[in-house]
Amino acid sequence: QVQLVQSGAEVKKPGASVNISCKTSGYDFTSYYIHWVRQAPGQGLEWMGRISPGGGFTTYAQNFQGRITMTRDTSTSTFYMELTSLRSEDTAIYYCARDYRPIGVAYNYLDPWGQGTLVTVSS
Amino acid sequence: DIQLTQSPSFLSASVGDRVTITCRASQTINSDLAWYQRKPGETPKLLIYAASTLLTGVPSRFSGSGSGTEFTLTIGSLQPEDFATYYCQQYNSYPLTFGGGTRVEIK
């Protein structure tokens, strides 16, 4: 079955960077966009951006422009999201999620989701 | 950015009740709206896309309607497994945005 398995929890100091991985399996890696979404404590879901599996083309939310980089490793079917210049407001659970429909059919509604990675930013 | 406002943010209902959740968009999004269900300790699960298309396997007591700026998710007869938080999400334009969620609890 389709699985998205994320890396473990991270604790970072303000100003540091975090790199979260999302290993995918159970489907054709080249056929679906991957998105990143976060949820801060007591807050709603916030979309961060998406990446294409083939060419690695990215679309980022303006809120994260300049601080976010999404990449993928086609040899391991793994996606990565790096967020730099961390601040306390970046404390959140970060999720990767796959487009429900394949590329060329429809985009931007998400299922399934990875299990989430807690990132805590604290001095 | 397109803002999505869900109402109510919390509702208490009994098994068998008919439940309606509303999602209003700050500008027209055609029918580019999805609904998710999230149970405690789990990740969101997609229920509906294109405002009214149920995913395969989603019980028929769930239905979605609306277009433009006003949308509804209806649970025809609430079941014990339906107690969860529900989110709407628009995909008409970037950035994708989510509603604040509606928590459905047992009365």
Side-chain angles (χ1 to χ4, degrees):
Chain A
Q1 74 280 25
V2 177
Q3 284 195 305
L4 283 66
V5 179
Q6 297 182 223
S7 49
E10 304 261 13
V11 179
K12 296 292 182 181
K13 293 198 183 306
S17 300
V18 69
N19 198 331
I20 302 168
S21 67
C22 172
K23 183 168 176 58
T24 67
S25 61
Y27 72 95
D28 180 3
F29 169 84
T30 63
S31 293
Y32 295 80
Y33 282 91
I34 287 288
H35 300 248
W36 291 88
V37 177
R38 75 178 185 180
Q39 186 166 31
Q43 303 295 311
L45 296 163
E46 183 178 19
W47 181 79
M48 303 177 72
R50 75 169 193 179
I51 182 169
S52 69
F57 301 110
T58 54
T59 303
Y60 298 140
Q62 186 69 29
N63 285 353
F64 300 98
Q65 288 279 1
R67 290 206 299 145
I68 193 169
T69 304
M70 295 179 187
T71 57
R72 86 272 183 258
D73 182 341
T74 57
S75 68
T76 60
S77 302
T78 301
F79 294 84
Y80 300 89
M81 190 281 297
E82 181 183 36
L83 191 63
T84 62
S85 302
L86 290 170
R87 34 208 188 230
S88 59
E89 310 89 89
D90 294 316
T91 294
I93 300 176
Y94 289 76
Y95 298 95
C96 59
R98 198 198 73 174
D99 257 350
Y100 178 68
R101 305 294 293 276
I103 293 170
V105 176
Y107 306 119
N108 295 337
Y109 38 95
L110 314 178
D111 195 81
W113 295 52
Q115 85 275 19
T117 297
L118 174 63
V119 175
T120 303
V121 183
S122 173
S123 54
Chain B
D1 298 3
I2 295 174
Q3 310 300 320
L4 296 180
T5 303
Q6 280 185 243
S7 59
S9 55
F10 171 84
L11 72 88
S12 181
S14 301
V15 172
D17 284 353
R18 180 181 178 87
V19 166
T20 299
I21 298 167
T22 298
C23 178
R24 289 190 175 86
S26 59
Q27 62 193 75
T28 183
I29 57 171
N30 301 317
S31 296
D32 299 332
L33 189 93
W35 289 97
Y36 299 83
Q37 177 192 63
R38 185 176 197 177
K39 296 181 181 179
E42 297 185 7
T43 57
K45 288 184 168 44
L46 182 66
L47 296 177
I48 288 170
Y49 62 91
S52 60
T53 302
L54 253 64
L55 262 66
T56 303
V58 173
S60 59
R61 61 181 179 274
F62 289 91
S63 64
S65 64
S67 66
T69 62
E70 187 140 342
F71 302 85
T72 58
L73 172 69
T74 300
I75 308 172
S77 175
L78 200 64
Q79 297 302 301
E81 60 269 29
D82 301 337
F83 292 96
T85 300
Y86 294 85
Y87 295 92
C88 56
Q89 177 234 321
Q90 68 80 22
Y91 51 93
N92 180 260
S93 64
Y94 293 114
L96 310 185
T97 50
F98 293 83
T102 296
R103 193 162 121 224
V104 178
E105 289 204 344
I106 301 172
K107 186 182 285 185

